[in-house]
Amino acid sequence: MPAILELRRYTLHAGRRDDLIELFDRELVESQEAVGLQVVGQFRDLDDPDQFVWLRGFADMPGRAEGLGAFYGGPVWQAHRAAANTTMLDSSNVLLLRPAGPDRGFCDEAPRPTIGATECPNSLVTATIYRLRRPADAAFVRFFEQQIVPVLVEAGARPIAAYQTYAVENNFPALPVRTDHPVFVWFARFDDMEAHRACEERLARSKHWTYILLPALADHFAQVATVLRLAPTARSRLR
């Protein structure tokens, strides 16, 4: 379970996402993990054909700085950075996160498919980003877990992790992170798109969800929540 997580959302040039994914899955997974970084998952955003989303984990902040320095100063990135960067318009939409409590981070996932794998799973991962007026405290986490999660689970969601803003100085400033709002990010898994659609329909029919829980949750928001519907790539461990 990574103690620190980056949620990285890249905006790409039109039509270049598959180019970046092919390069990433072939060259930029094991090379990062060889220097102590954790590639948790990489995804296509189903609602934006030019967005690539991935999750990178770290054991601690000193390890983050050391690992990032080793990777971006190392031979693999130097060999492939030009090809990667030509696919990107923006790579600065990054959240630095920590687990929202004990046992709230990602657990070990299934073994990653080998290099050259091309078959993508049918499963869907959602990342719901709540931008908050104030940092998530123990009371908010307790409210979310005791009142919100059971209703989501009953509707068909399978929770896998919850993270919140890690409000520390970015110790690798060459890669910026967002600091505009504190966030709480809830990750769930679905067997496929139909399972997710059925969950959304059940929630829409629930008066308790619509008229009680959603307004109570929205009282904490600085902005409307963002829901990322993420399709794992062929080599994503989180799937």
Side-chain angles (χ1 to χ4, degrees):
M1 178 181 74
I4 300 164
L5 186 76
E6 290 176 347
L7 170 54
R8 309 188 63 86
R9 301 166 62 189
Y10 291 0
T11 300
L12 309 179
H13 291 284
R16 296 300 308 277
R17 183 166 66 185
D18 284 349
D19 296 334
L20 178 59
I21 288 173
E22 191 277 331
L23 173 64
F24 192 102
D25 279 4
R26 188 185 74 242
E27 302 289 350
L28 305 181
V29 175
E30 282 79 4
S31 54
Q32 293 191 68
E33 296 192 333
V35 295
L37 309 178
Q38 302 172 52
V39 180
V40 178
Q42 55 268 33
F43 310 92
R44 293 172 173 86
D45 184 332
L46 293 178
D47 297 302
D48 186 339
D50 299 318
Q51 188 125 134
F52 173 65
V53 179
W54 65 292
L55 303 170
R56 178 163 59 190
F58 313 89
D60 51 38
M61 288 300 286
R64 176 179 184 267
E66 182 178 352
L68 292 177
F71 174 70
Y72 288 105
V76 176
W77 178 246
Q78 296 303 313
H80 298 289
R81 65 177 181 176
N85 287 336
T86 58
T87 68
M88 302 178 195
L89 284 170
D90 177 61
S91 60
S92 65
N93 190 354
V94 179
L95 297 174
L96 187 64
L97 308 169
R98 63 178 176 87
D103 302 319
R104 304 298 188 272
F106 289 110
C107 297
D108 289 339
E109 294 293 320
R112 179 183 292 112
T114 58
I115 293 174
T118 59
E119 185 175 353
C120 295
N122 292 325
S123 55
L124 174 73
V125 173
T126 60
T128 304
I129 304 170
Y130 301 105
R131 293 182 174 83
L132 306 177
R133 296 176 183 174
R134 294 176 296 279
D137 57 14
F140 175 84
V141 174
R142 187 167 54 251
F143 158 73
F144 192 87
E145 290 186 346
Q146 294 179 358
Q147 299 193 47
I148 302 298
V149 171
V151 175
L152 294 171
V153 170
E154 185 178 3
R158 286 188 284 166
I160 49 177
Y163 283 79
Q164 64 189 79
T165 293
Y166 192 28
V168 297
E169 182 178 357
N170 178 10
N171 64 353
F172 197 81
L175 297 182
V177 298
R178 293 183 62 167
T179 58
D180 46 349
H181 289 290
V183 302
F184 181 85
V185 186
W186 189 75
F187 295 89
R189 186 184 350 243
F190 299 85
D191 288 339
D192 51 32
M193 284 288 295
E194 182 55 38
H196 179 258
R197 185 161 37 248
C199 177
E200 293 291 293
E201 291 172 354
R202 291 186 192 103
L203 291 174
R205 293 194 299 267
S206 168
K207 293 182 179 180
H208 181 60
W209 173 256
T210 301
Y211 297 113
I212 303 297
L213 293 181
L214 269 185
L217 189 56
D219 283 344
H220 299 271
F221 293 173
Q223 297 179 5
V224 175
T226 300
V227 180
L228 305 179
R229 300 189 307 156
L230 304 175
T233 73
R235 297 203 66 221
S236 178
R237 286 190 69 194
L238 183 60
R239 55 179 47 227

